[in-house]
Amino acid sequence: MATTKVYIVYYSTYGHVEKLAEEIKKGAASVEGVEAKLWQVPETLPEEVLGKMGAPPKSDVPIITPNELTEADGLLFGFPTRFGMMASQFKAFLDATGGLWRTQALAGKPAGIFYSTGSQGGGQETTPLTSITQLVHHGLIFVPIGYTFGAGMFEMENVKGGSPYGAGTYAGDGSRQPTELELAQAFHQGKYFAGIAKKLKGSE
């Protein structure tokens, strides 16, 4: 049986999205026959600016180029929000995929979204909602998690990021880290998405 390749492509300023990405990778890799790989998109801010922002150094996860997206059977995109929409670093990466759009090289591939916001009203739904336009123009098939995470979707006693669109977390002032429940949802998204990507590849 052919291996199903799932690429988890993200941008992370302070590490919150990266933590979700790592859990998503674990979830995807737990599906037999699935190979999951982490990728970062290029940083657009100068080191001096990042230093003033207090952003930690980037991890050693490789930087992806647009053409490498075509190697994947499924794509999961992760980014922090900026005023309720995806961060400009990720948008700049997608803006560089014009060649892929022209040939519709990504059309028919499944794609999912995960994200981080600063507050509860900071874009847990608008960030993925406004990002779907990017998928649509490429002909990608959006795969939300819906309410497949079960009871965790209805948590009311504790602050929890994420939505039917995908896994999420809250960064707050930067000191808050993804909770166990948020990480569990990220693992679930990876596993759920990988299962669908595997089914689609098997039907080719």
Side-chain angles (χ1 to χ4, degrees):
M1 184 173 63
T3 299
T4 300
K5 290 185 178 180
V6 172
Y7 281 4
I8 299 132
V9 184
Y10 68 91
Y11 171 73
S12 190
T13 311
Y14 296 103
H16 299 81
V17 173
E18 187 166 67
K19 282 190 171 64
L20 293 181
E22 289 166 352
E23 286 301 309
I24 285 173
K25 179 187 176 184
K26 292 176 187 175
S30 73
V31 177
E32 186 180 358
V34 172
E35 177 188 316
K37 185 171 183 179
L38 292 176
W39 296 90
Q40 296 185 82
V41 301
E43 178 59 80
T44 59
L45 292 175
E47 287 294 332
E48 181 184 0
V49 173
L50 291 168
K52 289 179 179 178
M53 291 169 62
K58 293 285 187 280
S59 67
D60 58 0
V61 169
I63 305 295
I64 196 167
T65 60
N67 285 340
E68 285 171 305
L69 293 174
T70 62
E71 302 168 1
D73 298 303
L75 297 160
L76 282 156
F77 295 141
F79 33 79
T81 191
R82 296 292 183 266
F83 302 113
M85 300 174 72
M86 72 168 63
S88 62
Q89 288 88 343
F90 207 95
K91 181 62 165 59
F93 172 74
L94 291 175
D95 284 350
T97 61
L100 301 179
W101 164 78
R102 195 173 300 111
T103 59
Q104 286 294 284
L106 304 179
K109 294 179 186 287
I113 295 170
F114 59 102
Y115 45 87
S116 172
T117 70
S119 64
Q120 292 187 65
Q124 286 284 314
E125 292 200 28
T126 61
T127 303
L129 177 62
T130 54
S131 301
I132 291 173
T133 58
Q134 311 294 310
L135 310 185
V136 168
H137 284 258
H138 275 290
L140 289 159
I141 303 168
F142 178 50
V143 180
I145 61 171
Y147 282 81
T148 60
F149 186 49
M153 296 296 293
F154 300 94
E155 173 60 43
M156 296 293 287
E157 298 303 315
N158 299 293
V159 173
K160 185 194 78 69
S163 72
Y165 291 94
T169 189
Y170 294 109
D173 61 3
S175 61
R176 183 187 186 274
Q177 295 299 314
T179 64
E180 286 187 19
L181 187 59
E182 289 170 342
L183 294 175
Q185 183 172 250
F187 182 95
H188 169 76
Q189 181 174 14
K191 184 176 181 180
Y192 177 74
F193 178 86
I196 290 175
K198 181 180 176 181
K199 285 179 185 176
L200 287 173
K201 184 175 176 65
S203 66
E204 290 178 352

